[in-house]
Amino acid sequence: MRCQTCGDATSPEHHECQRCHTPLGQPAVTPGLPTYRVRGIGLAVRIAVGATAVLYLAVALSPLVGMALARQARVDNEHELLLAAVIVQVVLSLPMVVAYLTAAVLTIIWTWRARKNIEAFPGALPTLGTGWAIAGWLVPFANLVVPARVVANVARDSLWRRFTPTLVAVWWSAWLVFSVGERVVSRLDTRAYDSLPETPLTDGDYQAYSDYYRDSLLRNTVPAVACVIAAVALYLLIQRISAAQEGRIARALPAWPTAAVWPAPPVWPAGPVPGGDPVGGAGPLASGPGGEASVAAGLPLPAVPAPAVTPPAHQSRPVSPPSAPESGGTIGA
């Protein structure tokens, strides 16, 4: 006997498949329970996560532009160049925020669908309810632990593991470092910028701006690296989980024919029909009772007796011939 989920040979000594942990005799997906497609939404999440990571790297490296403009402003004694550095940072931050929010919404949708699917997988062991796949990202303080537990549960039951994959721990650790580090760096940058002179006049004032951008670049290094690690780990997790769930759902679907099979057209007999006109004609036998059905079925036609002909009323009695003249008579007499 083979497992209906992974196809491996099973033994009656074990109550479940040793590879995918599906109970013996159970289908890949429990009939009657809903399942959801996750491949398309998973691809959208990966694109959004990748775009967010790239745009955040651009924002984290924007202090390089500020350093160059601060040095040029010092040489030219043009403090308007410092305003250009701020504009560059704002222009890069806006699309990053849009990509970040898009990735967050898509990730929540994907998490809910993937968590809902494992309820239909025999042998799965869900720990938290489906509602936590959404609430876990939104509830304060709970969002530091619950999303990782939900994804770990989905990864175990989708990838046929009894223990949480290491990739989940790498993703969540890097995510926490990025999430907390980005907030800390943002506050430090705000305080440092507020302490700068509003209108630089001396070389020392311009140097203070240059030092600010240099320190901001160093502070952004840790969250930037953590962002890249978290994005790569989440990308791989979503790709593997989505492929595993889609494959399992596909194995449970019935195999329908690839094309509709239509009946062949009827074969009509060739040649004339005994006792009537050729096929397709309108002979007397073909138009009689049962004639059309017999011709269509290719069966011999039954013998139909000819109807009796009744003479008209004025011909009901034969007409006697005219009498001959008597012999011996004289013509004209």
Side-chain angles (χ1 to χ4, degrees):
M1 181 178 180
R2 292 191 173 275
C3 177
Q4 299 184 40
T5 300
C6 64
D8 283 6
T10 58
S11 173
E13 300 177 356
H14 305 284
H15 67 281
E16 64 180 11
C17 177
Q18 297 302 297
R19 181 185 179 191
C20 64
H21 310 291
T22 301
L24 296 185
Q26 294 291 326
V29 176
T30 303
L33 294 182
T35 56
Y36 301 87
R37 299 293 184 182
V38 291
R39 189 184 299 275
I41 187 68
L43 177 61
V45 173
R46 290 183 308 213
I47 294 175
V49 168
T52 302
V54 171
L55 292 174
Y56 183 78
L57 283 179
V59 173
L61 295 176
S62 62
L64 290 174
V65 178
M67 292 173 60
L69 291 177
R71 292 173 182 175
Q72 188 64 35
R74 179 181 180 182
V75 173
D76 299 339
N77 196 21
E78 293 287 343
H79 62 273
E80 288 82 2
L81 294 177
L82 300 176
L83 180 61
V86 176
I87 295 175
V88 169
Q89 190 172 10
V90 171
V91 169
L92 292 176
S93 299
L94 290 178
M96 190 275 296
V97 172
V98 173
Y100 179 85
L101 295 177
T102 303
V105 173
L106 294 177
T107 301
I108 292 174
I109 297 174
W110 177 88
T111 305
W112 184 87
R113 289 188 177 186
R115 171 59 185 81
K116 193 69 176 178
N117 282 342
I118 66 174
E119 293 184 351
F121 296 165
L125 301 173
T127 55
L128 296 176
T130 308
W132 283 109
I134 299 176
W137 293 95
L138 305 176
V139 178
F141 301 105
N143 55 11
L144 299 177
V145 179
V146 173
R149 292 190 59 188
V150 173
V151 174
N153 196 172
V154 171
R156 288 194 302 268
D157 292 329
S158 301
L159 303 177
W160 307 337
R161 307 285 181 86
R162 281 306 186 199
F163 301 97
T164 302
T166 307
L167 199 59
V168 176
V170 173
W171 159 64
W172 193 246
S173 300
W175 166 257
L176 291 178
V177 172
F178 162 71
S179 182
V180 176
E182 190 273 334
R183 288 173 173 78
V184 172
V185 169
S186 178
R187 292 181 180 180
L188 292 177
D189 285 348
T190 300
R191 292 177 181 177
Y193 190 84
D194 291 340
S195 62
L196 295 174
E198 294 183 3
T199 304
L201 300 175
T202 63
D203 290 346
D205 294 340
Y206 287 107
Q207 185 62 36
Y209 275 90
S210 180
D211 294 341
Y212 161 76
Y213 286 115
R214 181 197 60 198
D215 295 340
S216 177
L217 180 64
L218 294 176
R219 286 191 291 264
N220 281 312
T221 302
V222 174
V225 173
C227 178
V228 173
I229 295 175
V232 173
L234 183 59
Y235 184 99
L236 295 176
L237 272 175
I238 293 176
Q239 183 182 35
R240 296 175 183 179
I241 293 174
S242 299
Q245 289 196 356
E246 289 280 349
R248 184 163 184 167
I249 294 172
R251 282 190 292 272
L253 295 178
W256 298 101
T258 56
V261 179
W262 299 99
V267 179
W268 301 96
V273 178
D277 293 343
V279 175
L285 293 180
S287 59
E292 296 178 357
S294 300
V295 171
L299 301 176
L301 296 173
V304 181
V309 179
T310 304
H314 65 275
Q315 294 182 359
S316 58
R317 291 182 297 177
V319 179
S320 58
S323 58
E326 298 179 358
S327 59
T330 304
I331 302 173

